[in-house]
Amino acid sequence: MPIRIPDHLPARKTLEQEGVMVMDSSRAARQDIRPLQIGLLNLMPNKERTETQFARLIGSTPLQIDMTLVRITDHQSKHTSEDYLKTFYSTWEEVRERKFDGLIVTGAPIANIPFEEVKYWSEMLEIMNWTETNVHRTMFICWGAQAALHHFHGAKRYRMPQKAFGVFRHKLVGGPNPWLRGFSDSPMIPVSRYNDIDRDSLGDDLEILIDNEEIGLCMLRDKARPALYMLNHLEYDNRSLADEYDRDVKAGLNPEMPTNLFPGGDPTVEPENRWRSHAHLLFQNWINEIYQTTPYDPAQIGLVKQSP
């Protein structure tokens, strides 16, 4: 089945070129099924690139999905025009009365700012609390995961001696679970972050699912609520890390070359994507779990206690 996104969203052309089926509103209305309602709270500055990355993965499921793009209500984007945001995005205030089968909260480039000093932290607190009553299952990514772990569990974040930057081999360490069904034992996963979570600050209501002894935690499951916390970036496309490296080189920051990204360690050679299959597996597994467990009547989301 296709994914339904706004008709003129720039991501549509990219997705169609890649063979992802995209549906318009009139065709969706003729199908006698309830589409899953998936929200994407996009906190990244490059909205178009980020929404394309996630739509690519969400759109590969065999289910019909309506994806709603959501942004912080009062935050002014420096990299995306207000016309673009008004055309394709809803503010959280505009969707807060809605129910969603799934919500993805992205990362944000504010790693060095204490959570409480983030300009939109008060709204983030409201959104995170809102997920417990209005969202069936939530996936928090990168900074979004750090923020949610801090808010819900009091987990402590600390700055690592150096930035974890590149594509690293990880290990599956949790017990059997539906989220990682089909994963190999040691997947390669893109990483770009300065911070990690202090393991000693994690309580028994969190289970580590993917880990790396060198660069830290990757993915955790919440035992108390239906949420996943992914600290790294399976959604990244081939050039996400390479473009970040090129940007920092041009800015004169003398960055370390991303680990295991460029073939032969040569930044003039295009990167190879060695994580794409696991990215699709994770999101298909997540969406399948949503489909199997979400109420048919969206109004019932949040009213019946569910297994996390």
Side-chain angles (χ1 to χ4, degrees):
M1 288 291 180
I3 182 174
R4 183 154 69 102
I5 58 178
D7 288 348
H8 301 292
L9 188 72
R12 173 182 288 267
K13 183 177 180 181
T14 301
L15 296 173
E16 289 176 334
Q17 289 174 341
E18 294 177 1
V20 178
M21 294 184 67
V22 182
M23 174 183 288
D24 59 34
S25 301
S26 59
R27 181 181 169 201
R30 292 196 297 269
Q31 294 200 340
D32 189 23
I33 58 176
R34 179 175 89 73
L36 292 179
Q37 301 297 319
I38 305 293
L40 175 66
L41 178 61
N42 191 350
L43 305 175
M44 292 296 287
N46 189 332
K47 300 287 192 238
E48 183 176 336
R49 184 173 196 167
T50 302
E51 68 208 18
T52 301
Q53 290 171 347
F54 284 105
R56 176 184 291 125
L57 299 171
I58 295 170
S60 295
T61 175
L63 304 171
Q64 186 188 132
I65 291 173
D66 285 356
M67 187 173 79
T68 300
L69 301 174
V70 185
R71 62 183 174 112
I72 294 293
T73 302
D74 295 322
H75 182 64
Q76 184 70 38
S77 176
K78 297 180 181 178
H79 299 84
T80 305
S81 72
E82 191 64 23
D83 285 344
Y84 186 94
L85 294 174
K86 287 181 177 179
T87 301
F88 299 117
Y89 279 76
S90 300
T91 66
W92 178 67
E93 284 292 341
E94 292 170 337
V95 304
R96 68 184 302 167
E97 299 303 322
R98 288 180 54 183
K99 298 291 184 79
F100 288 88
D101 300 295
L103 178 75
I104 299 165
V105 180
T106 75
I110 47 178
N112 299 325
I113 304 175
F115 293 119
E116 288 77 11
E117 294 180 17
V118 173
K119 291 182 179 179
Y120 50 81
W121 183 246
S122 60
E123 184 164 337
M124 277 298 300
L125 291 175
E126 291 187 73
I127 292 171
M128 289 187 286
N129 291 333
W130 168 84
T131 64
E132 300 204 89
T133 57
N134 286 58
V135 180
H136 183 63
R137 294 196 181 275
T138 308
M139 186 186 297
F140 297 95
I141 309 288
C142 195
W143 182 87
Q146 296 172 20
L149 287 168
H150 169 76
H151 174 56
F152 288 129
H153 299 277
K156 296 179 180 178
R157 181 180 66 169
Y158 69 92
R159 190 173 179 86
M160 295 184 289
Q162 64 181 39
K163 182 181 181 180
F165 187 44
V167 186
F168 296 87
R169 191 167 295 284
H170 289 70
K171 291 183 179 180
L172 307 191
V173 296
N177 66 83
W179 319 112
L180 304 180
R181 187 182 295 117
F183 267 56
S184 61
D185 294 334
S186 55
M188 297 291 283
I189 299 177
V191 182
S192 177
R193 56 186 169 88
Y194 291 93
N195 300 306
D196 195 20
I197 301 296
D198 182 356
R199 296 168 189 264
D200 292 336
S201 70
L202 301 178
D204 293 338
D205 50 358
L206 289 167
E207 178 186 11
I208 301 171
L209 300 182
I210 309 178
D211 199 5
N212 179 291
E213 295 179 358
E214 177 186 0
I215 59 167
L217 298 169
C218 176
M219 182 173 164
L220 304 93
R221 177 181 76 89
D222 199 319
K223 298 179 182 179
R225 56 184 52 80
L228 295 176
Y229 308 98
M230 167 55 85
L231 294 162
N232 300 325
H233 292 283
L234 275 173
E235 80 280 1
Y236 272 3
D237 56 45
N238 292 39
R239 285 209 55 85
S240 295
L241 293 173
D243 289 347
E244 184 177 341
Y245 173 71
D246 291 345
R247 179 201 66 197
D248 290 349
V249 168
K250 292 176 182 177
L253 300 178
N254 194 29
E256 293 287 335
M257 189 179 300
T259 303
N260 298 325
L261 180 67
F262 298 111
D266 184 351
T268 67
V269 179
E270 281 298 296
E272 294 180 350
N273 191 312
R274 290 180 286 168
W275 59 90
R276 182 185 295 114
S277 58
H278 288 101
H280 282 279
L281 275 173
L282 174 61
F283 280 84
Q284 288 185 33
N285 288 341
W286 182 66
I287 290 171
N288 180 61
E289 277 301 300
I290 291 173
Y291 176 74
Q292 297 292 339
T293 59
T294 195
Y296 183 80
D297 180 2
Q300 297 301 308
I301 291 174
L303 299 181
V304 180
K305 184 175 177 56
Q306 59 165 314
S307 170

